[in-house]
Amino acid sequence: MKKTGLSVEEMNEAQMQSALGPEFVWGVATSAYQIEGAASEDGRGESIWDVFSRQSGKVLNGDSGQTACNHYHLWKEDLDLIKGLGVDAYRFSFAWPRVQPQGRGALNPKGLDFYERLIDGMLERGLQPHGTLYHWDLPQHLQEEGGWGLRTTAEHFANYAEVIGRKFGDRLTSLATHNEPWCTAVLGNLTGKFAPGYRDPQLAAQVSHHLLLSHGLAVKAMRAAGVRTQFGIVLNQSSVSAATDSAHDRAKAQTEYCSFVRWFMDPIFRGVYPQDPGIAHYPDIRAGDMEVIHTPIDFLGINYYTRIWASASQPEVPPPKVLGESDMGWEIYPDGLFELLKDVNRDYKLPPVFITENGMACVDVLRDGKVEDQARIEYLRMHLQSVANARQAGVDIRGYFYWSLMDNFEWESGYAKRFGLVHVDYSTQKRTLKRSAHWYREMIGRHKGEVSMGHKNA
Ligand code: IFM
């Protein structure tokens, strides 16, 4: 064979790159509560996560987002870091309580100024800003009134969306209403693992409806106000595998798919909730709600980490975990991303899709100024291959955002789980690029034709 100068690995990558196409958008993602810190500064109101984190036993080691990665103060350095990765885009979220401390009424000028600086800082560096309005940090004041269990919270959310849309819409490449509403509804109100920590199945169903309603109301309000950006929503999704071919396992798999994927997709893209004998709780719906939720959107964000394994037997049949698991204990199953994308593309009339999150928590060790996170590189490589395969199968996927730019506050796991391409030493706030960050940068460089094979700075 003629020597091309490329290794087999690089040739495989070249095929993948070509399937992704020249316009493919590369990015990294974060969220406000997980990185900003400065929780009591410059007029920010309290969020449900501030309160939840203070409750004993809710977050590992009693951690909270009080300081997090101190991004509120280090945002310039962080934007330089992002730029240095060679990505096109940065996905971040607005903290509602920083913008509107009580969730309604008075705005906080200093909070708005922060996002002004941040967005302009992205634009100055040639980074596309992709915003999210809600990544789980509900103003505590609204929670005390009833939170997402109340319909009025959806109306307050639409007002807040309009504020952000009017002020920043023209500078944002895209604006998602919610990040992973399933987590807010189920982890926050059914299992109690997340703030506000309730365990009430009927409330969880109602919360999911109000989240969806607030999504539709917000998009409508922003469009009516003439806000010009790409509107969408970000859903966490998984492929679902039945543990065996038994009728019980297949029925369980169907219920899981209905409550995880279709519960949000059907209302948004078909205007109805899915019916399944395994789903016991449906929300109270008012006339016109489903039409609002069914408002057309410009893009769909999909977050994928692992598959759902459905076993109805006791004890359950465990998933095979052929490729191992992440430090979260989540099975590494890249084929699931391909399967999921093919399925949703077959079942719905989708707008352009972005993979808005995908990533791996590893036990990262900083040694001699380096983190050798080969497992994360493999995870990334395999999942990007699935994205490329899905594109070849006809799914209109426009971009990929790695979760996360840097290690950060991983909710109930506190700072114990590290998802970042960039290592954060929380005692000094020093950022160190992991091996995966170098790999990502070089792979993106090759995609853009700016071939750089060596490991600069590594
Ligand atoms: O850290 C979270 C993020 O906030 C939402 N999606 C999943 C990530 C990893 O658990």
Side-chain angles (χ1 to χ4, degrees):
M1 191 166 112
K2 191 164 167 274
K3 177 113 180 65
T4 61
L6 296 181
S7 66
V8 172
E9 212 170 63
E10 283 161 346
M11 282 190 291
N12 290 343
E13 184 194 293
Q15 285 165 2
M16 175 202 89
Q17 301 263 19
S18 116
L20 295 178
E23 308 296 323
F24 198 74
V25 173
W26 297 103
V28 286
T30 64
S31 87
Y33 191 72
Q34 292 178 273
I35 66 165
E36 283 182 4
S40 320
E41 286 180 48
D42 288 347
R44 177 187 176 277
E46 277 209 316
S47 83
I48 52 173
W49 270 94
D50 296 304
V51 173
F52 188 72
S53 305
R54 280 201 297 269
Q55 291 168 20
S56 147
K58 300 292 189 195
V59 177
L60 191 69
N61 302 323
D63 288 341
S64 78
Q66 185 68 26
T67 308
C69 305
N70 197 21
H71 171 74
Y72 187 74
H73 295 292
L74 299 177
W75 63 273
K76 261 193 206 153
E77 290 87 332
D78 289 341
L79 291 186
D80 289 341
L81 202 60
I82 298 170
K83 182 66 187 163
L85 292 175
V87 297
D88 308 295
Y90 176 42
R91 175 173 178 249
F92 69 104
S93 78
F94 295 91
W96 187 354
R98 201 179 284 293
V99 169
Q100 202 173 25
Q102 307 248 296
R104 59 186 165 86
L107 299 173
N108 175 27
K110 288 190 173 172
L112 287 164
D113 286 351
F114 171 67
Y115 294 110
E116 179 104 33
R117 292 194 292 274
L118 189 67
I119 292 167
D120 287 348
M122 285 181 230
L123 295 175
E124 279 158 22
R125 289 164 180 79
L127 294 166
Q128 300 173 11
H130 291 255
T132 299
L133 287 165
Y134 187 79
H135 198 123
W136 310 349
D137 42 0
L138 185 74
Q140 174 64 16
H141 182 79
L142 291 186
Q143 184 60 50
E144 282 162 18
E145 291 180 343
W148 286 110
L150 286 188
R151 204 178 163 85
T152 48
T153 301
E155 288 155 14
H156 297 317
F157 179 76
N159 292 336
Y160 153 65
E162 200 181 319
V163 167
I164 296 289
R166 282 183 189 275
K167 181 121 180 98
F168 302 117
D170 59 344
R171 284 172 275 174
L172 295 172
T173 303
S174 78
L175 185 56
T177 51
H178 287 281
N179 180 74
E180 304 183 351
W182 179 89
C183 293
T184 302
V186 173
L187 303 182
N189 295 278
L190 177 63
T191 67
K193 237 172 98 172
F194 278 12
Y198 296 131
R199 292 172 189 217
D200 177 342
Q202 190 56 43
L203 174 63
Q206 198 59 48
V207 164
S208 71
H209 182 65
H210 289 156
L211 289 166
L212 281 164
L213 181 66
S214 76
H215 155 76
L217 288 174
V219 172
K220 277 180 166 302
M222 290 189 285
R223 285 207 177 116
V227 177
R228 285 191 181 290
T229 184
Q230 299 289 300
F231 296 111
I233 188 165
V234 172
L235 304 176
N236 49 324
Q237 300 192 341
S238 292
S239 61
V240 181
S241 307
T244 71
D245 207 27
S246 77
H248 283 358
D249 285 352
R250 281 190 283 119
K252 177 150 186 198
Q254 189 179 306
T255 301
E256 293 283 0
Y257 192 70
C258 261
S259 51
F260 198 61
V261 176
R262 291 189 53 195
W263 188 260
F264 296 91
M265 292 291 276
D266 283 19
I268 293 168
F269 293 110
R270 297 182 184 151
V272 289
Y273 281 102
Q275 300 296 318
D276 184 274
I279 297 180
H281 298 273
Y282 281 83
D284 176 29
I285 302 167
R286 294 206 193 154
D289 284 3
M290 299 315 288
E291 276 162 58
V292 171
I293 296 171
H294 189 32
T295 300
I297 50 175
D298 305 310
F299 77 95
L300 171 67
I302 293 183
N303 296 353
Y304 175 88
Y305 289 89
T306 187
R307 71 170 155 183
I308 292 175
W309 183 256
S311 171
S313 55
Q314 282 307 333
E316 291 184 4
V317 177
K321 299 198 177 175
V322 174
L323 296 173
E325 61 179 25
S326 73
D327 193 32
M328 298 295 281
W330 299 344
E331 183 191 12
I332 298 170
Y333 190 67
D335 287 351
L337 179 54
F338 173 66
E339 290 161 15
L340 167 76
L341 288 167
K342 243 180 16 140
D343 286 355
V344 290
N345 193 52
R346 181 198 56 214
D347 295 343
Y348 303 94
K349 201 169 157 357
L350 296 183
V353 172
F354 287 84
I355 305 304
T356 31
E357 284 183 29
N358 174 239
M360 181 180 181
C362 298
V363 185
D364 293 321
V365 184
L366 180 65
R367 196 172 288 127
D368 302 329
K370 292 181 183 170
V371 178
E372 299 295 344
D373 55 339
Q374 194 58 34
R376 182 175 284 112
I377 295 173
E378 287 312 316
Y379 182 98
L380 250 161
R381 201 198 299 277
M382 291 187 290
H383 285 81
L384 287 173
Q385 187 60 56
S386 277
V387 175
N389 293 345
R391 261 185 72 103
Q392 276 182 324
V395 190
D396 184 9
I397 306 159
R398 303 283 178 94
Y400 174 93
F401 292 77
Y402 180 79
W403 181 272
S404 178
L405 162 68
M406 57 186 163
D407 298 335
N408 57 46
F409 176 77
E410 179 52 28
W411 309 110
E412 85 285 13
S413 306
Y415 296 96
K417 303 291 176 196
R418 293 180 178 270
F419 275 90
L421 292 174
V422 176
H423 178 275
V424 177
D425 177 334
Y426 296 108
S427 60
T428 60
Q429 292 296 349
K430 184 170 168 12
R431 278 69 161 139
T432 305
L433 267 60
K434 302 179 191 175
R435 174 69 64 187
S436 56
H438 295 288
W439 182 86
Y440 197 48
R441 186 189 58 205
E442 287 163 15
M443 189 269 305
I444 293 169
R446 289 193 288 276
H447 184 257
K448 293 180 187 300
E450 303 155 9
V451 181
S452 80
M453 297 293 183
H455 284 278
K456 288 184 213 147
N457 304 331

